[in-house]
């Protein structure tokens, strides 16, 4: 059994000061970075992951995903546009320890990391299976959107899936609670 950590969309535009901020996003970036530093230094008590990957919203022209004005249900303010600082990982998160980065949403809306691919076009699920991964932990931003979609797709694709709530933040309390309940009902462990 091999386990991977999937760090979802911890990008500038989803943290305080970004175009679509999640409250606590910068702290989540910091906390994930601390976990990754402990892992890389093999500190006692550090989580052991066989692989650590990240997803990024990576919008070139995502069509109707951007709204003017946005409805905050199906359309959103412009965010994570390729070539902008908003698309970059938050500075509290050191991207160096990632074994791979999966970009999603270039030309259409994409919430799940499993819609993402490597620069060579390899999908997240295929990449994980090629590395022998059978279990995944999912964390990042936002619990009620991209973390939710990624965890549900991981479970659907046959990976044993856990969501790390201490390393995730949601947009709103009510939608976050609904997302956690939906994930648990689908067999995702909420820890």
């Amino acid at each position: 059994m091999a386990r991977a950590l999937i760090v979802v969309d911890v990008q500038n535009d989803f943290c305080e000061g970004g175009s679509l901020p999640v409250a606590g996003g910068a702290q989540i970036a910091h906390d994930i970075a601390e976990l990754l530093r402990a892992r890389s230094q093999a500190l006692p008590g550090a989580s052991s992951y066989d692989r650590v990957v990240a997803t990024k919203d990576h919008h070139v022209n995502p069509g109707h995903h951007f709204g003017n004005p946005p409805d905050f249900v199906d359309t959103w303010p412009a965010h994570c546009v390729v070539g902008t600082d908003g698309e970059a990982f938050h500075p509290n998160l050191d991207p160096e320890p990632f074994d791979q980065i999966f970009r999603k949403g270039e030309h259409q809306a994409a919430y799940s990391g499993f819609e993402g691919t490597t620069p060579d076009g390899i999908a997240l699920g295929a990449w994980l299976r090629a590395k022998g991964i059978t279990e995944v932990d999912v964390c990042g931003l936002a619990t009620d959107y991209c973390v939710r979609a990624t965890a549900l797709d991981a479970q659907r694709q046959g990976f044993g899936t856990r969501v790390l709530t201490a390393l995730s933040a949601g947009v709103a309390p009510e939608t976050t609670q609904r997302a956690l309940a939906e994930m648990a009902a689908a067999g995702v462990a909420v820890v």
Side-chain angles (χ1 to χ4, degrees), residues 13-187:
D13 271 346
F14 296 135
C15 294
E16 294 85 351
S19 65
L20 199 52
V22 176
Q27 184 64 49
I28 292 298
H30 173 270
D31 294 347
I32 292 170
E34 287 297 307
L35 172 74
L36 297 179
R37 273 191 279 287
R39 173 188 178 260
S40 70
Q41 297 168 3
L43 297 175
S47 296
S48 175
Y49 289 106
D50 298 287
R51 301 287 182 190
V52 177
V53 301
T55 69
K56 286 179 93 175
D57 258 20
H58 188 78
H59 298 310
V60 174
N61 179 8
H64 298 302
H65 187 55
F66 293 166
N68 190 14
D71 64 16
F72 295 95
V73 176
D74 297 310
T75 62
W76 308 93
H79 60 276
C80 301
V81 175
V82 173
T84 67
D85 188 52
E87 192 259 350
F89 287 115
H90 190 275
N92 287 355
L93 179 69
D94 180 358
E96 296 305 314
F98 297 131
D99 294 305
Q100 190 58 259
I101 297 169
F102 296 84
R103 300 180 310 196
K104 59 188 177 68
E106 286 186 358
H107 298 288
Q108 61 189 11
Y111 295 91
S112 171
F114 285 84
E115 296 174 81
T117 62
T118 66
D120 297 336
I122 300 168
L124 175 56
W127 189 92
L128 291 170
R129 282 188 285 282
K131 304 298 182 192
I133 300 298
T134 56
E135 312 281 329
V136 297
D137 287 353
V138 182
C139 64
L141 304 172
T143 306
D144 35 355
Y145 291 93
C146 296
V147 168
R148 171 194 158 276
T150 301
L152 290 172
D153 277 353
Q155 185 72 16
R156 281 187 206 102
Q157 289 199 22
F159 296 99
T161 307
R162 301 188 305 189
V163 169
L164 307 179
T165 59
L167 296 176
S168 302
V171 172
E174 30 327 313
T175 54
T176 298
Q177 288 307 313
R178 277 197 305 269
L180 292 172
E182 179 184 4
M183 289 185 278

